[in-house]
Amino acid sequence: TARPSYSRVRSLLKAIKFSNSLELQLVLAGPSVLEKYGDITDFVKKDGFDISSKVYSVVDGENKMAMAKTTGLGIIELTNVFNILKPNIVITIADRFETISTAISASYQNIPLGHLQGGEVTGNIDEKVRHAITKLSDLHFVSSEDAKQRVLRLGENPKFVFNTGCPSIDIANKIHNDKRALFNPYKKYGGVGSLPDLENGYVIAMQHPVTNEYEKARSQVKKTLNAIHKLDIPCLWFWPNIDAGSDGTAAGIRHFREMNDLSHFHFFKNMDPEDFLNLVKNSKCLVGNSSVGIRECSFLGVPVVNIGSRQSGRARGINVIDTSYDEIQIRRAIQNQLSKGKYKQDFTYGKANAGKKIANILEIVDPSSHKRIEY
């Protein structure tokens, strides 16, 4: 349903595709099919997957009302899709408002539901959505032991709660073991802005709006922009997601570009998951509030400056320094991380092979009769 969801599920899609007993039906929905938010269609096709259906359900507005209406429209459209495809089980990912549309559509049609990344805690409405999806789900594929224990405390059957690790770590593991040199992202993906030299190091910035602080999105991103700008280090900045406040974040970025000489900044919308993690792996630091800093960066040992409340409560490795939206704090934290270099690998979110583990479980369940075999 969203740009990051593809990397969270790609290894599982491959495992299902090559399984002798499973058939893959892939539905793209929400912002994942919109150019404005990084349409993933071409990446999906390049990876050899057939798309069973596309759902256009996003109500423009990037505010609370638009999020609620998008959720409702998603329920209507996905209900039709599931009625046509007649799946034996639906797999949904994480905690977004588009994700709960998937969960409701499947549950009310008595289609068994599998949920990836349940049981985690964050600092915004996504946590409520994630726990609601957990209660609607039949199978739980969690990413950490902390998450597994939380799902169990929510009252789910222990026989159907599996700590498989996060499938995005499968990609991170491949990149970690890949010795290829850094590619030229400007030539391959375009983007906008100057073309800073990356040879001597760079940082990556990913800052999304926080749904319960969406009115502050513009002022919050300005603090981060100022902090990185004053450090005068090359920065590759990735565009925000669709959440309420995204228009404020985007407007803040555009205004900052107009008012400042950003000769060391370049901006991207999206790229292939492996290319993105190649950039992350070779960076000096990741700055912002993306879960990439908590998950993949911990596995890759990449230093992270996590800003604000968006990832509050989520299990993390020692590679993360948390700061508030304070320009001086952010700048000092980045300087601290730049001086430390790479961290030791952390396996909080798994040691890879999660996609195959999940597919193996799906191969031995009987979702049509709701009778499941303990794995």
Side-chain angles (χ1 to χ4, degrees), residues 280-316:
V280 171
K281 172 190 170 183
N282 289 288
S283 70
K284 296 288 187 182
C285 181
L286 186 139
V287 183
N289 59 11
S290 170
S291 62
V292 170
I294 307 298
R295 294 177 187 278
E296 291 93 327
C297 285
S298 67
F299 184 87
L300 294 170
V302 174
V304 171
V305 174
N306 179 63
I307 307 169
S309 63
R310 191 168 186 266
Q311 302 300 333
S312 293
R314 187 169 254 158
R316 64 199 63 208

Side-chain angles (χ1 to χ4, degrees), residues 88-141:
N88 298 110
I89 187 167
V90 167
I91 305 295
T92 195
I93 309 155
D95 53 15
R96 297 188 52 77
F97 51 96
E98 308 97 344
T99 306
I100 199 168
S101 300
T102 310
I104 292 171
S105 299
S107 296
Y108 272 99
Q109 294 183 83
N110 289 331
I111 304 169
L113 183 69
H115 183 208
L116 305 186
Q117 298 184 347
E120 297 178 26
V121 175
T122 48
N124 56 18
I125 195 173
D126 292 349
E127 181 182 334
K128 295 180 180 179
V129 171
R130 188 186 301 105
H131 295 339
I133 295 168
T134 290
K135 298 308 297 181
L136 290 168
S137 298
D138 303 285
L139 290 170
H140 309 273
F141 305 106

Side-chain angles (χ1 to χ4, degrees), residues 192-254:
V192 298
S194 303
L195 307 176
D197 184 359
L198 306 179
E199 283 295 318
N200 295 317
Y202 58 92
V203 300
I204 289 179
M206 298 183 72
Q207 186 160 316
H208 304 296
V210 180
T211 49
N212 55 355
E213 301 171 4
Y214 78 99
E215 307 97 331
K216 302 176 183 177
R218 182 165 179 166
S219 63
Q220 288 174 343
V221 77
K222 184 179 177 182
K223 303 282 179 61
T224 308
L225 284 160
N226 266 321
I228 298 176
H229 183 45
K230 289 179 180 177
L231 288 173
D232 199 26
I233 183 172
C235 175
L236 304 180
W237 193 295
F238 285 80
W239 215 243
N241 65 20
I242 193 176
D243 288 350
S246 179
D247 53 346
T249 302
I253 293 170
R254 292 191 181 100

Side-chain angles (χ1 to χ4, degrees), residues 4 12 18 28 41 183 230 261 278 294 320-321 340 343 367:
L12 172 58
F18 292 108
L28 302 188
T41 302
F183 69 100
K230 289 179 180 177
D261 173 21
N278 178 274
I294 307 298
V320 178
I321 294 178
K340 284 192 173 181
Y343 285 82

